[in-house]
Amino acid sequence: MTQAFGSDDLQLDKRVVYVHGVPADLKLPSSVAGNVMSYDAHTTLPIAAGEIKLAH
């Protein structure tokens, strides 16, 4: 955990979650771009994001 986050304390109150990716056979419009290194837009397309909050 320290190597990935720089600390043993995840500090979840300072983090967000990003979900990327759609099925490879999904036809994307030509306006969708997002190649990153060897990954195409199907892999890199963000589909959801959220802030982590404490649930009571």
Side-chain angles (χ1 to χ4, degrees):
M1 186 165 42
T2 301
Q3 185 177 4
F5 296 103
S7 172
D8 283 334
D9 179 9
L10 286 178
Q11 300 175 342
L12 294 176
D13 60 324
K14 297 180 181 176
R15 302 213 183 266
V16 295
V17 175
Y18 296 100
V19 179
H20 293 263
V22 295
D25 61 351
L26 181 69
K27 185 169 175 20
L28 297 173
S30 61
S31 60
V32 174
N35 291 0
V36 176
M37 297 172 37
S38 63
Y39 301 103
D40 72 358
H42 288 88
T43 302
T44 62
L45 184 68
I47 59 169
E51 183 178 353
I52 299 174
K53 293 198 176 219
L54 179 61
H56 297 279

